[in-house]
Amino acid sequence: GESVGLHLPTLSVQEGDNSIINCAYSNSASDYFIWYKQESGKGPQFIIDIRSNMDKRQGQRVTVLLNKTVKHLSLQIAATQPGDSAVYFCAENYSSGGYQKVTFGIGTKLQVIP
Amino acid sequence: KAGVTQTPRYLIKTRGQQVTLSCSPISGHRSVSWYQQTPGQGLQFLFEYFSETQRNKGNFPGRFSGRQFSNSRSEMNVSTLELGDSALYLCASSLIGDSGNTIYFGEGSWLTVV
């Protein structure tokens, strides 16, 4: 997996509001996508995944939307809480003939305002 | 079951030294991959091992090496450390490392080179 080094975008959200974090992926042949949450000083934590044959998947307070036409992925967090403050990044997974490549987005920092 | 375990969590090394980091994957997971994470570059893929064989490799110099043991545990080694090697080194495991298999991360090993 590779990641392009850029300034980390920040999203500030009021506690209780919904958050939407976006991710543009690069490979139209990618067939599996994952969202991770990384809190300060910790490793990335799996949140939710979606396969390319789906366009929406819901978890507990989180929803992932996949738009393959424009190669866009979004993570929606309902009723955002202070504990949601972290860096969120997406991963796209491409595989072919036993070869697998995972590419990670640069991440978005979510700041929840109490 | 236990998650991905990495040791040591924190270490400080001097330029020119070498370091070995250890990773125990989730029980039953046979694919182990390593990533370097820095604020400026995000997640950079180092290499992936499956059944004791390096299956994929990122664009890092030969100073970075790894191996996997028969019990799927993995180690990575960095020789002749440079200041720029200071980073969070993350190990991740997945069931078989193919697309659709979620990658789970450990908490990482924080390496500081002085």
Side-chain angles (χ1 to χ4, degrees), chain A residues 6-81:
Chain A
L6 294 172
H7 178 69
L8 200 62
T10 300
L11 174 67
S12 296
V13 175
Q14 203 74 35
E15 181 180 357
D17 287 351
N18 296 335
S19 303
I20 300 177
I21 300 170
N22 297 303
C23 176
Y25 64 92
S26 57
N27 189 346
S28 58
S30 291
D31 54 6
Y32 180 57
F33 305 87
I34 309 170
W35 277 102
Y36 290 93
K37 170 187 180 182
Q38 188 173 21
E39 297 175 89
S40 181
K42 297 187 176 181
Q45 178 186 5
F46 169 86
I47 302 174
I48 192 169
D49 59 359
I50 188 168
R51 298 182 190 279
S52 59
N53 61 352
M54 304 169 68
D55 52 24
K56 181 179 180 179
R57 188 156 190 234
Q58 288 184 292
Q60 187 178 13
R61 280 203 308 119
V62 294
T63 301
V64 56
L65 298 178
L66 175 63
N67 186 332
K68 294 183 287 293
T69 303
V70 295
K71 293 187 288 186
H72 183 267
L73 198 65
S74 70
L75 176 70
Q76 300 178 1
I77 304 174
T80 312
Q81 303 168 359

Side-chain angles (χ1 to χ4, degrees), chain B residues 83-96:
Chain B
L83 296 178
D85 296 332
S86 295
L88 175 65
Y89 289 88
L90 290 162
C91 171
S93 76
S94 63
L95 202 55
I96 55 176

Side-chain angles (χ1 to χ4, degrees), chain A residues 1 3 31-32 36 38 43 100, chain B residues 37 44-45 97 99 102-103 107:
Chain A
S3 180
D31 54 6
Y32 180 57
Y36 290 93
Q38 188 173 21
Q100 181 190 208
Chain B
Q37 188 178 39
Q44 300 287 314
F45 172 71
S99 186
T102 306
I103 297 172
E107 295 291 7

